[in-house]
Amino acid sequence: MTRIEDDLAAMAREVREQAAEVDVEAGLAEVTRARPPRRTWLLGAAAAIVLVALAASGAVLLRDRGDAHVVADGGPTSTSTTTATTSTAPASEVSFELVVEGATSVPLGTLTYAGVADAFADQWRMAGFDGTPPEVDFDRWVVVSFTRMAACGEQLVAFVDDGGVYEPVFDDSQRPDECAESRSARTYGVALDRARLPDRFKMQVDIGGGHPPQRLEVQPTSASAVRLPTDRSGPPPVQGPDLALPEPGREITFDRIGEVALGQRVSSAEVLIEENPPCGYWPRGRRGSSHDDPQQTPTGLVDASGGTPVLSAVYLRRNTTYRTASGVGVGTTLATLERIYGDELVVDDPDPDATPTDGLIAYYRRVAGVRRGDHALAFYLRDDVVEAVKLSGVDVWGDDEGCA
Amino acid sequence: MSIVGTVAEVGSFEAFFREEHVAVVALCSWLTGDPAAGEDLAQEAMATAHRRWDEVGAYERPGAFVRRVAVNLASNERRRRARRDGALRRLRAVPERQEPGPHAEHDELWAEVASLPLQQRAAIGLRYLEDRSTAEIAEALGCAEATVRVHLHRAHRQLAERLGRTTDATNADPEEETA
């Protein structure tokens, strides 16, 4: 009879041999590229790159399980929902089953509903989950999903029905110390019992990252639904002129926004790299930086994949003084964009059937884009008015979780 | 085998990673029962160390830190998977999940190892994968050496009983023996 110690030693040897086949250098590159060390570097005034500490990281809305009572507010940039505090009727819990939870390829803020298996399969593929979706009895259940910025260790603990608005509730009190500050975009798929659902309800999700809560109206008798266009409960859009001349040094071109240029080399002494960018979802091979920008200056996205950190994108938000030579900037209407850029302009809508670039720019909000050579400008629209501008290479002109 | 690297030995995160990564991948594969998942888990554990390298790099044994993170992450993943599988079963969704082993010839042993409590599984993993001492395992798991001895003892006994093997572990718990 053999000893268990010998069996374990043999198995361990094989596990070690298999582990030895991993590509250590690739792993190292991935870790150091994707998750920069916590390090505060000097802000480069000359570069005018303002990469702001993550105010939104504290904007976690804690709710008591079951009563939708706001316990703690994250501070000035948090966007808490108002339904809980304005409703006079007590909120009640909705029973649910967590079908799937994981990192995802869909944009932050995506909300979906599936009432039939085919729709669920489509949404499963859209999320980029591996394999086939689990079998769900859709005679009994419907599946809603949402993608939000989740803290490490955060748990979905309840769904509350607050006057017909269904909202998931998360508990982040059990975060492991090792990853207490880590956040990432995660998709949750949740099954709700049809027998307990009304004919129509709204799902509302605080998606984090300083973004306004998102809503999806659901009719459980329908086959599927996608997230409604941008919620109107967030901060009001910036009111700027439709067209205006740029102020000195504040011109938007296809190479730069003001003093911040695409491809600009970034020294380690110039950039503050946040380990938990509020947007947190970057094109593969790039590492992100915070873009919350109260000083309303252009911000840069750092790409260190080639060794030397350079700016792969420049963002401008809420500042109406930066303009193209034609006068386009924050506050310009879609109609004016169309008049100025003509056929060059493409507009992606949240409607999956109205994304001429197949969602390359965006498929979760209305974004207009125009390209010149290898560079592109994307205009993020709200109520058909530009509220943010992104300059980037065409290869990454698409959406990156509403960071702009 | 030397103790998990010290600051003086590792110097930088890059050196630490190169020194430790394969061993951490092996441990994570052992913990998850899946080489691919183990590699992902090891990456996540290393990323945690990287994010906090200013602090972790100053530890006497940062390798112990990253192993403890790996065990905690494996524990979280196990709970998450259990919740999900339970929910899916209630939804009539998936059959019972059979945790795969890294090597077919060890499937029976692997299944039994996988059924062990995570701390026991981690303890025997550190012992057999890395030949760690009881003190080193205790440091990595964040528990007392006596607890490690109990974990190792019970794991050996359980595996031997279930698989019809002999073991050097005695019938009495080490804590009882030392009491």
Side-chain angles (χ1 to χ4, degrees):
Chain A
M1 187 179 292
T2 57
R3 296 164 66 242
I4 193 66
E5 287 84 354
D6 295 334
D7 287 348
L8 287 167
M11 192 167 84
R13 187 164 51 249
E14 293 183 13
V15 171
R16 278 199 307 271
E17 289 170 357
Q18 191 159 29
E21 296 174 4
V22 300
D23 187 336
V24 174
E25 294 304 318
L28 176 60
E30 185 176 335
V31 166
T32 54
R33 183 171 57 229
R35 308 200 182 192
R38 179 189 299 169
R39 187 174 299 161
T40 303
W41 293 346
L42 177 66
L43 283 172
I49 304 165
V50 179
L51 304 169
V52 180
L54 207 180
S57 69
V60 176
L61 187 67
L62 282 177
R63 290 172 182 276
D64 276 340
R65 180 173 178 165
D67 65 1
H69 170 66
V70 175
V71 175
D73 192 311
T77 62
S78 75
T79 52
S80 61
T81 60
T82 57
T83 52
T85 53
T86 56
S87 172
T88 55
S92 58
E93 280 201 42
V94 179
S95 61
F96 72 96
E97 298 282 4
L98 184 62
V99 178
V100 63
E101 173 196 343
T104 179
S105 58
V106 298
L108 188 69
T110 299
L111 275 57
T112 66
Y113 153 78
V116 297
D118 287 348
F120 182 46
D122 288 344
Q123 292 164 10
W124 183 271
R125 283 192 293 272
M126 184 177 79
F129 291 130
D130 293 334
T132 56
E135 180 188 343
V136 175
D137 178 4
F138 279 94
D139 290 334
R140 181 180 173 195
W141 306 91
V142 302
V143 176
V144 293
S145 77
F146 45 90
T147 301
R148 60 186 293 278
M149 196 64 74
C152 169
E154 202 172 32
Q155 302 293 332
L156 173 62
V157 293
F159 248 82
V160 294
D161 171 7
D162 191 0
V165 177
Y166 285 40
E167 190 166 4
V169 179
F170 294 84
D171 177 11
D172 68 347
S173 62
Q174 304 298 317
R175 290 190 219 169
D177 290 341
E178 292 78 14
C179 60
E181 297 175 53
S182 175
R183 282 176 166 71
S184 60
R186 297 184 74 81
T187 292
Y188 299 76
V190 173
L192 304 174
D193 191 339
R194 282 184 183 276
R196 298 171 185 268
L197 295 176
D199 294 339
R200 182 189 296 262
F201 67 91
K202 291 187 176 81
M203 177 170 65
Q204 175 168 293
V205 181
D206 180 5
I207 62 171
H211 299 288
Q214 301 296 303
R215 279 190 175 188
L216 174 70
E217 186 161 351
V218 175
Q219 288 181 270
T221 53
S222 64
S224 67
V226 296
R227 184 173 77 82
L228 294 175
T230 305
D231 191 282
R232 300 294 191 270
S233 61
V238 171
Q239 297 296 317
D242 193 2
L243 287 172
L245 291 175
E247 293 185 0
R250 296 192 168 189
E251 190 168 352
I252 299 173
T253 73
F254 282 86
D255 294 312
R256 62 173 56 243
I257 298 180
E259 298 176 44
V260 184
L262 206 57
Q264 178 176 306
R265 289 184 60 167
V266 180
S267 76
S268 60
E270 289 181 319
V271 181
L272 169 70
I273 294 180
E274 289 299 328
E275 68 179 278
N276 302 305
C279 303
Y281 182 80
W282 306 99
R284 189 175 295 278
R286 294 173 166 79
R287 64 182 178 186
S289 304
S290 171
H291 295 79
D292 195 358
D293 187 9
Q295 298 186 43
Q296 300 188 7
T297 54
T299 60
L301 175 64
V302 179
D303 176 5
S305 59
T308 301
V310 296
L311 294 184
S312 62
V314 184
Y315 300 89
L316 175 74
R317 53 189 301 204
R318 302 183 68 82
N319 190 317
T320 62
T321 63
Y322 288 82
R323 296 277 160 174
T324 67
S326 306
V328 168
V330 172
T332 298
T333 63
L334 175 59
T336 298
L337 291 177
E338 290 170 337
R339 180 168 57 81
I340 289 179
Y341 294 112
D343 291 340
E344 285 186 284
L345 192 76
V346 291
V347 181
D348 275 356
D349 274 331
D351 181 349
D353 296 325
T355 54
T357 69
D358 289 333
L360 193 60
I361 303 180
Y363 58 86
Y364 68 105
R365 64 180 297 185
R366 178 169 267 197
V367 179
V370 60
R371 56 184 292 180
R372 292 282 166 78
D374 294 334
H375 293 177
L377 285 170
F379 301 100
Y380 290 76
L381 300 165
R382 184 167 181 178
D383 295 338
D384 287 347
V385 174
V386 175
E387 69 169 6
V389 180
K390 175 187 175 184
L391 167 65
S392 70
V394 171
D395 58 330
V396 290
W397 76 334
D399 92 64
D400 35 14
E401 305 302 306
C403 293
Chain B
M1 178 175 286
S2 67
I3 203 165
V4 184
T6 67
V7 175
E9 292 167 340
V10 297
S12 68
F13 176 79
E14 287 73 16
F16 168 77
F17 189 99
R18 292 186 178 104
E19 174 75 20
E20 297 285 357
H21 187 55
V22 169
V24 176
V25 169
L27 175 62
C28 292
S29 298
W30 184 277
L31 293 173
T32 60
D34 180 345
E39 193 172 345
D40 289 345
L41 194 68
Q43 284 284 104
E44 199 171 346
M46 281 295 191
T48 299
H50 181 237
R51 281 199 306 273
R52 299 175 55 181
W53 188 246
D54 287 350
E55 172 190 354
V56 174
Y59 291 166
E60 189 177 352
R61 282 177 282 278
F65 168 85
V66 82
R67 284 162 176 77
R68 191 185 300 186
V69 170
V71 174
N72 288 342
L73 290 172
S75 176
N76 292 342
E77 178 58 27
R78 207 179 225 204
R79 283 198 294 270
R80 187 179 301 123
R81 184 183 294 173
R83 280 197 305 275
R84 184 199 64 187
D85 287 355
L88 294 183
R89 278 194 295 275
R90 289 191 290 277
L91 292 165
R92 295 193 316 174
V94 294
E96 290 285 341
R97 190 174 189 282
Q98 196 68 37
E99 193 157 17
H103 299 282
E105 61 266 38
H106 293 299
D107 270 358
E108 190 181 18
L109 174 58
W110 189 261
E112 293 302 332
V113 170
S115 71
L116 294 174
L118 190 68
Q119 292 286 311
Q120 288 186 24
R121 187 170 175 174
I124 59 168
L126 287 164
R127 169 59 55 88
Y128 285 93
L129 289 169
E130 304 185 28
D131 197 24
R132 296 292 175 197
S133 69
T134 302
E136 288 170 332
I137 295 171
E139 182 176 17
L141 299 182
C143 61
E145 289 185 43
T147 306
V148 172
R149 282 194 288 272
V150 172
H151 285 330
L152 292 171
H153 183 269
R154 290 179 178 173
H156 281 113
R157 275 184 49 195
Q158 178 170 323
L159 293 173
E161 286 172 8
R162 292 185 178 180
L163 296 169
R165 306 285 199 272
T166 61
T167 176
D168 296 339
T170 62
N171 286 329
D173 265 359
E175 58 182 354
E176 296 164 2
E177 291 171 339
T178 57

